[in-house]
Amino acid sequence: MPNISSWLHCVICVVILVFHFKLLCSNGNLDQNHLMACGPPIGIRIHTSQQVLNGQKSIPLGYVRGSSNCAQPALPVSTNEKLLVWVGDQIMPRESAKVSVFDSIVQGGDGVWEGLRVYNGKIFKLEEHLDRLFDSAKALSFSNVPTREQVKEAIFKTLIRNEMFSDVHVRLTLTRGKKVTSGMSPAFNQYGCTLIVLAEWKPPVYDNAKGIILVTATTRRNSPNNLDSKIHHNNLLNNILAKIEGNNADADDAIMLDKDGYVSETNATNIFLVKKGCVATPFSDYCLPGVTRATVMDLAVKENLVLVERRISLSEFHTADEVFTTGTMGELSPVLKIDGRTIGEGTVGPVTRTLQNAYTQLCLESGVPIPTNPHA
């Protein structure tokens, strides 16, 4: 049984601690709501009375460093809070959806990915995206890759379990897999690839009705001499550095040039211009030849527009009649301003509007249907 002095010592400590907190709060130094959400101030340790009474070495119950204990930020789309995600070979809740610290995606960004969109119960351009996924995995010499049908089954099951049949974006990732020990060598990857299917309720990420603003990044697009952008890999630092420049300039995205100063693409999309009715887009030498890019090029031909691929300088984009970007996540987005220069009349141009309408119609009409079998 503890003696009276130990009890008194414990009570006195608690009273002093409570008084200290209240004093901080009353002086405006500590917000009580923050305290409830995040715990005690940095560096304050809390011990149980049982530990003190038993004479044990103090073990802190809470030692706050930074805001790791704070309430989580609000999600852009609140319905995504209860997502189910496919990881490896099973579906799990969002909060449990994790890969091993030994996975190659953690060790070196060693993975390939695709973005898919779902419209009216169908996955748009699924086969084309899977073609590129498997081409990228082959280019990176992945082994023990799941079959095309296994990947499709994982996508379908994830969408069905989440009851997602429209207005959905799917981030499909295939990593080289888990390693037996940390390190760079693919020889350590002896478990097979890791497949991740992350489906979210996600509208187009740009304002396609009003348009977007771009700036030109100083970060140059990767050359095929270094890392070929035709491989749709997860090592996106080249793009991220350009995106940081765009963010710092309060722009929607950043244009990336090739090593010779010609326009390649943006940090996230392919790019087109319109001049005197002619549609032009850069060669895909330094950029990802996007699925949406190819789709829009086909639509331009069907709309009897003149279409060319060529090297395009930045000043040509500055002086274009219209500019737009293309990508699965953002669809077809008009560009109103580049580097402070207004494009055309500063509004969505007629050619851009025509292609937007044609693209929207195609999305609604085509795609691979999601099986209706509830047990799929």
Side-chain angles (χ1 to χ4, degrees):
M1 291 293 292
N3 56 41
I4 297 299
S5 61
S6 296
W7 277 105
L8 287 175
H9 176 76
C10 179
V11 171
I12 291 171
C13 287
V14 171
V15 170
I16 292 174
L17 186 60
V18 171
F19 177 79
H20 176 64
F21 281 178
K22 287 184 175 294
L23 183 62
L24 287 174
C25 292
S26 65
N27 289 337
N29 295 324
L30 183 64
D31 180 78
Q32 294 191 42
N33 292 328
H34 177 83
L35 178 61
M36 293 178 65
C38 303
I42 294 175
I44 291 181
R45 297 174 181 266
I46 300 177
H47 309 269
T48 64
S49 59
Q50 193 64 41
Q51 290 169 340
V52 175
L53 294 177
N54 293 342
Q56 297 175 355
K57 183 178 180 180
S58 298
I59 302 175
L61 291 182
Y63 189 78
V64 182
R65 294 184 183 274
S67 58
S68 60
N69 292 341
C70 289
Q72 295 299 309
L75 301 178
V77 180
S78 60
T79 49
N80 287 327
E81 183 178 359
K82 301 298 183 182
L83 293 180
L84 296 173
V85 184
W86 183 283
V87 181
D89 58 359
Q90 60 183 318
I91 291 179
M92 56 188 68
R94 174 185 179 131
E95 59 271 16
S96 303
K98 301 175 178 65
V99 296
S100 168
V101 294
F102 287 97
D103 197 286
S104 287
I105 204 71
V106 179
Q107 295 277 323
D110 190 1
V112 296
W113 69 281
E114 288 295 320
L116 310 172
R117 273 215 174 271
V118 180
Y119 304 94
N120 289 347
K122 299 185 291 291
I123 304 174
F124 187 62
K125 298 289 181 179
L126 174 60
E127 300 299 344
E128 291 85 345
H129 281 287
L130 291 181
D131 286 343
R132 189 170 63 185
L133 182 80
F134 285 105
D135 283 348
S136 296
K138 184 176 182 179
L140 293 179
S141 193
F142 280 17
S143 59
N144 297 317
V145 177
T147 67
R148 194 182 190 95
E149 289 308 311
Q150 287 173 328
V151 174
K152 281 186 177 181
E153 181 182 13
I155 295 170
F156 292 147
K157 284 186 175 181
T158 302
L159 292 171
I160 292 170
R161 287 285 301 275
N162 282 292
E163 299 183 356
M164 291 178 165
F165 302 102
S166 197
D167 302 318
V168 172
H169 180 268
V170 179
R171 178 84 173 209
L172 179 66
T173 303
L174 185 68
T175 84
R176 196 182 295 272
K178 191 171 67 172
K179 295 176 177 290
V180 294
T181 185
S182 61
M184 182 187 301
S185 176
F188 297 147
N189 293 87
Q190 299 176 20
Y191 296 96
C193 293
T194 302
L195 178 65
I196 303 170
V197 184
L198 172 58
E200 295 180 278
W201 304 105
K202 188 187 289 287
V205 294
Y206 307 113
D207 189 339
N208 293 340
K210 295 182 179 179
I212 63 174
I213 295 174
L214 302 178
V215 295
T216 303
T218 60
T219 303
R220 296 300 176 99
R221 194 68 177 98
N222 281 335
S223 165
N225 286 327
N226 308 114
L227 182 60
D228 195 345
S229 296
K230 295 176 185 62
I231 303 173
H232 206 198
H233 55 81
N234 284 77
N235 200 319
L236 299 177
L237 288 178
N238 182 231
N239 309 72
I240 292 169
L241 288 171
K243 179 60 175 174
I244 290 171
E245 294 187 58
N247 289 348
N248 290 340
D250 292 324
D252 294 284
D253 270 331
I255 291 175
M256 302 183 73
L257 310 179
D258 65 24
K259 68 178 181 63
D260 295 320
Y262 291 95
V263 171
S264 175
E265 59 181 343
T266 78
N267 57 273
T269 58
N270 294 121
I271 190 166
F272 292 73
L273 66 75
V274 181
K275 187 70 172 182
K276 296 181 179 180
C278 177
V279 180
T281 192
F283 288 124
S284 60
D285 295 342
Y286 285 78
C287 72
L288 178 76
V291 172
T292 308
R293 173 183 181 270
T295 302
V296 170
M297 292 172 73
D298 289 341
L299 290 173
V301 173
K302 291 179 180 178
E303 294 292 334
N304 296 315
L305 297 168
V306 178
L307 172 71
V308 296
E309 282 184 275
R310 61 179 178 85
R311 294 181 107 184
I312 307 176
S313 66
L314 183 59
S315 63
E316 291 182 88
F317 276 94
H318 287 160
T319 58
D321 298 328
E322 304 175 41
V323 176
F324 60 87
T325 64
T326 60
T328 300
M329 189 174 285
E331 300 178 342
L332 200 155
S333 307
V335 178
L336 305 186
K337 189 177 288 188
I338 298 175
D339 299 326
R341 282 90 160 173
T342 299
I343 304 302
E345 300 298 322
T347 58
V348 182
V351 174
T352 302
R353 185 68 73 195
T354 295
L355 291 172
Q356 275 186 322
N357 293 337
Y359 183 80
T360 298
Q361 189 63 33
L362 182 64
C363 290
L364 296 176
E365 294 175 349
S366 62
V368 176
I370 301 168
T372 55
N373 178 3
H375 302 293

